[in-house]
Amino acid sequence: MEPNLPAATGFLADVRQDGGRTLAPVFAALGARDRWQERTGDAVLHADLVHSGTPAGARARTRGGALVFAGELYNRDELVGLLPGGASPDSDATLVAALFAVYDVHAFRLLNGRFAALIADSGRAVLATDHAGSVPLYASVAPGRVLAATEAKALRTAPRGRPLPARPVRRLPGTHQVPAGTVLDIAVATASCLPHRTWTPPLARRVMPEEEAVDAVRRTLERAVAARTGRGTPLVVLSGGIDSSTVAALAARRSTGPIDTVSMGTDEADEFPQARVVARHVGSTHRDVTIPADELLSRLPHTVWASECLDPDIVEYLLPLTALYLRLGRGGDGGRRILTGYGADIPLGGMHRESRLPQLDTAVCHDMDTFDGLNEMAPALSGVAGHWSTHPYWDRDVLDVLVSLEAGLKRRHGRDKWVLRAAMDDVLPHEVVVRPKLGVHEGSGTTSSFSRLVRDAGVPRDLVHRVKGLVVQAIFDRVVVEGRHPDEVATGAVVERVAGHVVPGTRPVPR
């Protein structure tokens, strides 16, 4: 029976030729820990895994060394068919190792999944991310030693590494984030690095009849949801909007029993009535969770700690999800497999109220060109409570379809995300299909609550966004760079300190 959660959700790996001391593993993600050591030619691989009970499924031996794999594959059946001699690997890690033996680094161009991987093989260290970098991967590389981890904080005490063809991490000298859809092929002895792109967002646009486009979107989403539901009862985060409602409806259609759904709101705002409409329609076991605004804002350090993101807008989107996951807790049966509707707006241009098609497609190109490194889908966000989240709209095949559709299929008949709405017209209630877009940060009152906290610290309205960015940056420095636990960081105190620097002489507004 297949496990309900991936074998591993994160790792810290060390490939070295000397006998130096290994780093202490530090993760935001909860889970059991397992340490593994394997000799690979003239080097030794040390790996610490965050796992769900089956760590052996997250590691494998290659012809010249070993592989560590965090995450899961969604096109496993197709990949197995590529192996010679009818081989049937017993885990995603052994499957990737077998493909690597045939295709070398080009194996990663075949994978549709949510993963980060390291292969230590014959004097090389091969680091790989999935097409979207949805499991972040960080590296610190020096001659004779390659360090890699799925959370940057795990490398904060690493020796300073050499420059890489990758994004430097703030205030962690020599630590870089491996780009999405990229393999870094590193010679361990010299630290020389050769990058290979394995996926890029399509730039060409497909002109398709309405019926054909609607059918393509429906079929690829059905496959993506089916590949992510696992053997247990999935939990879908449901707002009642078209994105999450689509995921809930497709998950319910393939489930033998009622799925679970949950909606999150605050004492400031919620979308509970809209979510209940969908829950009744799909027959899910549903609950509403209200999180007071003060509790929500207190989770800002946990959100930055888990996502390791510095963009205040993205952190604002992720804050209500992190707060929800923490409120759910892990439960007596361990972590849950959670599906979300997150990310649909990026390939479909859903956050842009733009009717002019050239501008809409420009916005889609920009968003698809700049998502990398924002860590919007980092598994540690749900991992802080021991859960595993996955996002069907960022399935590689779904992205290939959604991004490539010409803009007139995304904005059509005066409606945003038209092709998705049309694809679900016979599955969801009409009121859900036509409901206007509302972001989770808006529907939960997150944006207004955070803005009010900043304004109450004496910040003028025109500086609120700037201060939010500085607050996120200051929290990042505390919980990622300095290694403090988020429970030790008070959001309000950080806001007041930052406000005092930006607007000298400010005094918090009495409540």
Side-chain angles (χ1 to χ4, degrees):
M1 181 179 291
E2 66 170 310
N4 191 40
L5 301 184
T9 60
F11 64 74
L12 166 64
D14 184 346
V15 181
R16 53 193 169 89
Q17 295 176 325
D18 60 29
R21 187 175 60 181
T22 58
L23 300 180
V26 178
F27 302 101
L30 288 180
R33 305 290 177 87
D34 181 76
R35 174 160 287 191
W36 182 45
Q37 179 175 310
E38 187 77 17
R39 177 158 289 280
T40 63
D42 63 348
V44 177
L45 166 64
H46 300 267
D48 290 278
L49 300 171
V50 181
H51 68 91
S52 57
T54 55
R59 59 196 189 217
R61 289 177 175 82
T62 64
R63 288 178 180 173
L67 173 147
V68 180
F69 186 89
E72 58 189 4
L73 299 175
Y74 301 125
N75 61 337
R76 181 180 172 83
D77 291 343
E78 293 90 340
L79 294 171
V80 169
L82 298 175
L83 298 178
S88 182
D90 59 1
S91 70
D92 287 348
T94 53
L95 174 54
V96 174
L99 290 168
F100 184 78
V102 177
Y103 294 94
D104 202 76
V105 296
H106 303 286
F108 292 99
R109 294 194 171 102
L110 306 171
L111 309 184
N112 179 7
R114 172 162 165 73
F115 66 85
L118 177 144
I119 300 175
D121 185 272
S122 303
R124 305 157 67 195
V126 176
L127 311 183
T129 58
D130 65 55
H131 63 285
S134 70
V135 179
L137 184 61
Y138 301 89
S140 178
V141 177
R145 185 169 192 176
V146 175
L147 289 161
T150 51
E151 296 183 33
K153 64 183 70 67
L155 301 180
R156 73 178 197 87
T157 61
R160 185 170 188 141
R162 288 190 172 183
L164 292 173
R167 183 185 306 103
V169 178
R170 170 182 167 83
R171 290 190 59 196
L172 293 181
T175 296
H176 299 77
Q177 184 170 7
V178 180
T182 298
V183 171
L184 298 184
D185 193 353
I186 301 165
V188 177
T190 64
S192 62
C193 177
L194 182 63
H196 303 268
R197 291 307 302 268
T198 58
W199 184 84
T200 57
L203 290 175
R205 297 296 183 253
R206 300 170 65 187
V207 180
M208 303 170 68
E210 287 186 354
E211 297 82 2
E212 185 179 338
V214 167
D215 181 63
V217 170
R218 174 76 166 266
R219 285 187 289 104
T220 52
L221 276 172
E222 285 176 337
R223 288 197 297 268
V225 170
R228 286 162 171 77
T229 49
R231 64 175 175 82
T233 301
L235 172 64
V236 179
V237 178
L238 180 63
S239 69
I242 185 64
D243 304 340
S244 62
S245 298
T246 293
V247 173
L250 295 180
R253 282 193 156 205
R254 72 172 307 276
S255 178
T256 56
I259 66 168
D260 294 332
T261 54
V262 62
S263 182
M264 176 267 176
T266 68
D267 45 6
E268 176 125 342
D270 65 62
E271 299 175 89
F272 293 161
Q274 295 86 348
R276 289 177 198 139
V277 168
V278 180
R280 286 194 295 270
H281 182 78
V282 303
S284 66
T285 302
H286 181 76
R287 66 166 162 151
D288 300 322
V289 175
T290 299
I291 299 176
D294 287 347
E295 179 183 336
L296 175 73
L297 293 171
S298 75
R299 296 307 193 185
L300 189 61
H302 297 80
T303 305
V304 176
W305 185 55
S307 68
E308 299 180 329
C309 178
L310 285 160
D311 187 301
D313 296 328
I314 302 302
V315 169
E316 213 165 70
Y317 303 159
L318 302 178
L319 175 56
L321 293 173
T322 308
L324 173 62
Y325 298 142
L326 287 167
R327 175 63 80 85
L328 292 175
R330 192 168 190 185
D333 297 329
R336 294 293 304 271
R337 173 172 288 270
I338 300 175
L339 279 70
T340 83
Y342 196 87
D345 289 311
I346 300 174
L348 288 170
M351 292 297 289
H352 302 281
R353 314 299 197 263
E354 178 60 73
S355 296
R356 295 170 296 174
L357 300 187
Q359 286 80 355
L360 180 62
D361 198 52
T362 297
V364 171
C365 286
H366 176 268
D367 288 350
M368 290 303 304
D369 199 38
T370 57
F371 75 85
D372 190 17
L374 296 177
N375 296 353
E376 294 185 67
M377 293 154 207
L381 288 159
S382 57
V384 294
H387 305 297
W388 172 258
S389 55
T390 181
H391 318 285
Y393 290 102
W394 276 70
D395 180 274
R396 188 189 65 179
D397 293 344
V398 171
L399 283 180
D400 283 341
V401 170
L402 295 184
V403 176
S404 66
L405 293 177
E406 60 95 3
L409 289 165
K410 300 174 185 181
R411 181 78 186 188
R412 202 174 191 87
H413 307 306
R415 185 159 294 156
D416 66 288
K417 293 190 287 192
W418 175 84
V419 69
L420 175 61
R421 297 179 188 277
M424 299 304 293
D425 188 55
D426 64 337
V427 175
L428 291 169
H430 181 70
E431 64 192 280
V432 177
V433 172
V434 300
R435 183 186 172 201
K437 170 66 188 177
L438 191 65
V440 64
H441 59 299
E442 300 166 315
S444 63
T446 300
T447 296
S448 54
S449 297
F450 192 7
S451 296
R452 185 169 56 252
L453 181 66
V454 172
R455 293 278 287 133
D456 286 350
V459 175
R461 193 177 303 276
D462 62 330
L463 293 179
V464 166
H465 189 267
R466 179 188 170 201
V467 168
K468 284 182 177 180
L470 293 173
V471 166
V472 168
Q473 191 176 96
I475 293 174
F476 180 93
D477 290 346
R478 286 162 174 75
V479 299
V480 177
V481 178
E482 298 170 13
R484 296 169 63 181
H485 192 277
D487 286 345
E488 302 170 5
V489 180
T491 302
V494 176
V495 169
E496 291 182 10
R497 190 175 298 111
V498 170
H501 285 295
V502 174
V503 188
T506 57
R507 293 289 183 271
V509 177
R511 294 197 173 212

